[in-house]
């Protein structure tokens, strides 16, 4: 499984580059820590060198003097490594990923290479002049192989160059052939062991990084998934709270555990007042049997839809529609019941208003029909009155006849206006010219004016075509002209 994870990660270039970046940063950090340790060790070694100098050992054996020089070189190597880490840490946020990898690699390799070379010189030359040991170089090789996570090729170069320098120094400073051969064999075996040790360490470190990256990806996916689920839950909660329908959540035995804002508005009870109570304790004890039957039907798997009458907290009767369904968890187990409550009060009011308007419409149609039928006998009466008023023997009653005819005309006018108001026919508009309509009606209007010894003339300007109903416009013009003629005396002129 681990090998599969490693191979899958290393096959992706971006992941491989990220792995190199992390390993390079860790190597650079460890080089800094190693440098700090070496600085303290150098301080102790400087003190020991001072004691050797005081005792005169520098004059007795030149190896002590050369040892001091190697300590100085080690000190400067550690100091430069420490200062280099401070520079990298300061500018690392401004570097690209490739620049970070190269700089951190160079920093760690510099520290390792400098320490290996110094220790190779110490064991190959100074230690041979003093006690014929190669312990310092061997310890340094194993320290570098265990502290740093370089690639096998990088370790091969580091160990090969330092080993070559180590052997070269042995050949120069070790005069005894037996000791020379023993030190070369011991040093070579230890370097080979350290190389394989570092190789296995590197493989384990790469595997550890890949496993960590895989774990980070899984954790990130899980966090993203949970954030999405949380946002979805918040979104659904906002919808539930903002909907106009009341939503009630309760256990399988009818105990209320959720009561949204709209439910508060419908029933008048707050969520704190109803939480932990049975539903029938809130809506009315008289509905206990009905609610228990609805719960049984809902738990059986049915989605229950019905209309019911409930009571507000203040005693007002409210019409509601109810939709009940079960609530299930991730495993499909029923954990509760949800009820969606919709207030039908406004709908019932609109239905009553629509019913009233329908009745008024029927009454209007009946009145229009009756008015139309009434106009027929009125026309007959008016005609006979006009005939009677024209006879000589009834001439003395002419004033009465004119008065009756005038009243019949007024009643007919009222009926005409009523029929116009009650007409339900849709207006048919089309593009027409107002001047054309006036010119079409002009002969009729002039004939009406001549009967009253009056005149009509037109002063029409050019107008654009309009979207109008020609029948309604004709009626408007006729009414306006008629009113104008009736308001004028004889021998006057009406201008349109």
């Amino acid at each position: 499984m681990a090998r599969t994870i490693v191979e899958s990660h290393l096959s992706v270039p971006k992941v491989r580059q990220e792995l190199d970046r992390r390993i390079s940063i860790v190597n650079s950090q460890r080089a800094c820590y190693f440098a700090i340790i070496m600085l303290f060790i150098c301080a102790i070694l400087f003190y020991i060198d001072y004691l050797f100098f005081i005792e005169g050992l520098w004059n007795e054996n030149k190896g002590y003097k050369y040892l001091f020089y190697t300590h100085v070189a080690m000190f400067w190597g550690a100091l430069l490594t420490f200062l280099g880490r401070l520079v990298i840490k300061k500018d690392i946020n401004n570097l690209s990923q490739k620049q970070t990898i190269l700089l951190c690699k160079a920093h760690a390799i510099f520290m390792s290479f400098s320490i290996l070379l110094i220790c190779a010189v110490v064991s190959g030359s100074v230690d041979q002049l003093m006690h014929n040991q190669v312990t310092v170089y061997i310890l340094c090789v194993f320290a570098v192989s265990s502290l740093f996570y370089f690639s096998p090729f990088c370790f091969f170069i580091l160990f090969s160059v330092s080993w070559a320098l180590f052997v070269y120094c042995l050949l120069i400073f070790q005069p005894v052939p037996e000791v020379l051969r023993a030190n070369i064999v011991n040093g070579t075996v230890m370097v080979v062991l350290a190389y394989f040790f570092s190789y296995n360490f590197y493989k384990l470190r790469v595997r550890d990084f890949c496993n960590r990256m895989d774990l980070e990806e899984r954790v990130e996916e899980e966090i993203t998934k949970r954030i999405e689920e949380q946002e979805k839950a918040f979104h659904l909660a906002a919808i539930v709270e903002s909907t106009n329908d009341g939503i009630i959540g309760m256990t399988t035995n009818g105990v209320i555990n959720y009561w949204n804002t709209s439910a508060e508005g419908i029933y008048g009870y707050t969520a704190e007042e109803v939480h932990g109570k049975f539903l029938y304790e809130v809506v009315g004890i008289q509905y206990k049997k009905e609610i228990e039957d609805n719960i049984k039907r809902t738990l059986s798997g049915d989605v229950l839809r019905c209309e019911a009458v409930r009571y507000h907290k203040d005693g007002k009767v409210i019409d509601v529609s109810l939709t009940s369904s079960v609530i299930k968890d991730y495993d499909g187990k029923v954990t509760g019941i949800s009820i969606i409550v919709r207030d039908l009060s406004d709908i019932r009011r609109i239905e009553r208003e629509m019913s009233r308007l329908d009745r008024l419409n029927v009454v209007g149609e009946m009145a229009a029909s009756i008015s139309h039928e009434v106009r027929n006998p009125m026309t007959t009466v008016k005609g006979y009155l006009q005939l009677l008023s024209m006879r000589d023997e009834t001439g003395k009653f002419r004033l009465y006849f004119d008065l009756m005819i005038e009243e019949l005309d007024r009643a007919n006018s009222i009926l005409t206006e009523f029929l116009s108001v009650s007409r339900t026919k849709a207006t048919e508009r089309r593009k027409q010219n107002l001047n054309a309509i006036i010119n079409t009606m002009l002969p009729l209007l002039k004939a009406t004016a001549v009967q009253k010894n009056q005149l009509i003339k037109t002063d029409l300007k050019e107008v654009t075509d309009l979207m109008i109903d020609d029948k309604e416009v004709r009626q408007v013009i006729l009414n306006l002209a008629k009113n104008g003629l009736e308001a004028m005396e004889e021998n006057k002129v009406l201008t349109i």
Side-chain angles (χ1 to χ4, degrees):
M1 179 66 182
R3 184 177 181 183
T4 303
I5 294 174
V6 171
E7 291 177 350
S8 63
H9 279 81
L10 296 181
S11 62
V12 181
K14 289 186 178 180
V15 177
R16 177 69 184 181
Q17 192 173 29
E18 175 64 18
L19 181 63
D20 288 342
R21 187 187 70 84
R22 294 190 181 190
I23 292 178
S24 300
I25 292 175
V26 170
N27 285 335
S28 178
Q29 291 173 344
R30 291 196 170 195
C32 180
Y33 300 149
F34 192 30
I36 295 173
I37 294 173
M38 293 305 300
L39 288 174
F40 282 105
I41 293 176
C42 286
I44 297 173
L45 293 175
F46 286 153
Y47 179 71
I48 295 174
D49 291 334
Y50 174 72
L51 294 178
F52 288 159
F53 176 75
I54 295 299
E55 294 176 1
L57 295 178
W58 284 28
N59 296 324
E60 295 179 5
N61 191 336
K62 294 182 179 180
Y64 290 102
K65 183 186 294 186
Y66 295 150
L67 185 63
F68 169 72
Y69 295 151
T70 58
H71 294 165
V72 172
M74 188 181 300
F75 171 80
W76 281 107
L79 182 62
L80 290 176
T81 302
F82 176 73
L83 296 176
R85 180 59 191 174
L86 295 180
V87 175
I88 293 174
K89 188 175 181 181
K90 179 181 178 182
D91 298 333
I92 193 168
N93 294 327
N94 301 324
L95 300 176
S96 64
Q97 190 174 33
K98 289 184 178 180
Q99 291 174 334
T100 302
I101 293 173
L102 291 175
L103 195 59
C104 290
K105 277 186 177 181
H107 178 252
I109 290 174
F110 169 77
M111 179 61 187
S112 304
F113 195 57
S114 61
I115 292 298
L116 283 172
L117 293 182
I118 292 172
C119 291
V121 171
V122 170
S123 293
S125 59
V126 177
D127 285 350
Q128 301 306 311
L129 296 175
M130 298 173 63
H131 44 69
N132 297 325
Q133 299 293 325
V134 293
T135 308
V136 173
Y137 178 62
I138 293 174
L139 291 176
C140 180
V141 167
F142 277 98
V144 171
S145 64
S146 60
L147 282 175
F148 300 101
Y149 304 110
F150 298 127
S151 65
F153 177 75
C154 184
F155 267 123
F156 177 79
I157 298 298
L158 290 175
F159 289 165
S160 297
V161 173
S162 64
W163 176 82
L165 180 61
F166 166 71
V167 173
Y168 176 76
C169 291
L170 281 175
L171 293 174
I172 295 176
F173 291 94
Q174 180 51 256
V176 182
E178 293 79 7
V179 177
L180 175 63
R181 286 194 296 270
N183 287 341
I184 291 176
V185 171
N186 290 335
T188 303
V189 171
M190 293 298 106
V191 168
V192 172
L193 289 176
Y195 175 77
F196 284 105
F197 184 71
S198 65
Y199 175 75
N200 291 322
F201 240 61
Y202 178 76
K203 287 178 61 179
L204 291 174
R205 191 59 179 174
V206 169
R207 181 179 298 178
D208 177 63
F209 270 114
C210 290
N211 290 333
R212 185 179 299 178
M213 291 177 66
D214 183 69
L215 180 61
E216 289 176 358
E217 290 177 359
R218 292 174 183 270
V219 171
E220 186 176 358
E221 290 177 0
E222 184 65 22
I223 292 174
T224 303
K225 183 179 178 181
R226 291 191 179 185
I227 290 175
E228 290 176 354
E229 291 179 352
Q230 191 175 21
E231 290 178 351
K232 184 178 180 181
F234 285 152
H235 183 65
L236 291 176
I239 293 175
V240 169
E241 285 297 326
S242 61
T243 181
N244 291 329
D245 295 335
I247 298 179
I248 302 172
M250 59 185 185
T251 61
T252 54
N253 57 357
V255 177
I256 299 172
N257 53 24
Y258 181 76
W259 187 273
N260 77 336
T261 306
S262 296
E264 294 180 356
I266 293 173
Y267 289 103
Y269 296 95
T270 63
E272 290 76 12
E273 292 177 309
V274 302
H275 187 77
K277 293 184 178 181
F278 288 96
L279 183 60
Y280 60 78
E281 294 179 336
V282 177
V283 301
I285 193 66
Q286 64 271 29
Y287 300 114
K288 180 179 180 182
K289 184 67 170 57
E290 176 188 342
I291 292 173
E292 290 176 347
D293 292 340
N294 290 341
I295 291 175
K296 291 180 181 178
R297 289 178 58 186
T298 304
L299 292 176
S300 66
D302 296 337
V303 177
L304 183 62
R305 295 181 177 87
C306 63
E307 294 185 1
V309 177
R310 294 291 184 260
Y311 289 93
H312 193 270
K313 183 179 181 180
D314 59 8
K316 180 180 65 175
V317 178
I318 50 176
D319 296 311
V320 295
S321 68
L322 306 173
T323 303
S324 303
S325 59
V326 295
I327 302 173
K328 297 181 180 180
D329 59 13
Y330 287 108
D331 298 328
K333 182 180 178 181
V334 177
T335 58
I337 297 174
S338 69
I339 301 177
I340 300 176
V341 184
R342 177 167 295 180
D343 189 356
L344 300 179
S345 301
D346 291 339
I347 297 176
R348 294 288 181 263
R349 180 180 57 79
I350 293 173
E351 288 177 350
R352 289 192 295 269
E353 185 67 19
M354 291 297 295
S355 177
R356 185 180 70 84
L357 292 176
D358 287 340
R359 291 195 298 270
L360 289 176
N361 186 46
V362 172
V363 171
E365 290 179 355
M366 291 177 62
S369 178
I370 292 172
S371 299
H372 182 72
E373 295 299 328
V374 169
R375 293 178 69 182
N376 293 331
M378 286 177 60
T379 303
T380 303
V381 172
K382 179 180 177 182
Y384 279 108
L385 288 174
Q386 288 175 339
L387 289 175
L388 290 174
S389 65
M390 295 173 63
R391 292 192 175 187
D392 295 335
E393 59 268 26
T394 58
K396 59 183 179 179
F397 301 109
R398 185 167 296 165
L399 292 176
Y400 300 107
F401 292 147
D402 291 341
L403 179 59
M404 286 187 287
I405 291 172
E406 183 180 348
E407 291 300 319
L408 286 172
D409 288 339
R410 192 160 67 86
N412 185 55
S413 176
I414 293 172
L415 291 175
T416 300
E417 291 181 1
F418 177 77
L419 290 174
S420 176
V421 172
S422 63
R423 184 177 62 185
T424 57
K425 183 179 178 181
T427 301
E428 298 180 357
R429 296 182 180 181
R430 51 196 179 93
K431 205 167 187 180
Q432 299 185 73
N433 191 274
L434 185 60
N435 290 341
I437 296 175
I438 295 174
N439 290 329
T440 302
M441 297 180 61
L442 194 58
L444 175 62
L445 297 175
K446 287 183 176 181
T448 304
V450 169
Q451 292 178 358
K452 299 182 179 181
N453 295 324
Q454 295 170 332
L455 294 175
I456 292 180
K457 70 175 184 178
T458 58
D459 185 13
L460 303 179
K461 307 297 183 182
E462 184 177 354
V463 294
T464 58
D465 294 344
L466 304 173
M467 296 297 295
I468 55 178
D469 186 333
D470 61 337
K471 295 180 180 179
E472 292 184 354
V473 172
R474 287 172 184 269
Q475 186 63 45
V476 169
I477 294 174
L478 184 62
N479 292 340
L480 289 174
K482 184 179 178 182
N483 293 337
L485 294 174
E486 290 178 354
M488 292 192 317
E489 299 177 355
E490 294 183 357
N491 300 320
K492 297 293 183 179
V493 179
L494 177 66
T495 303
I496 299 177

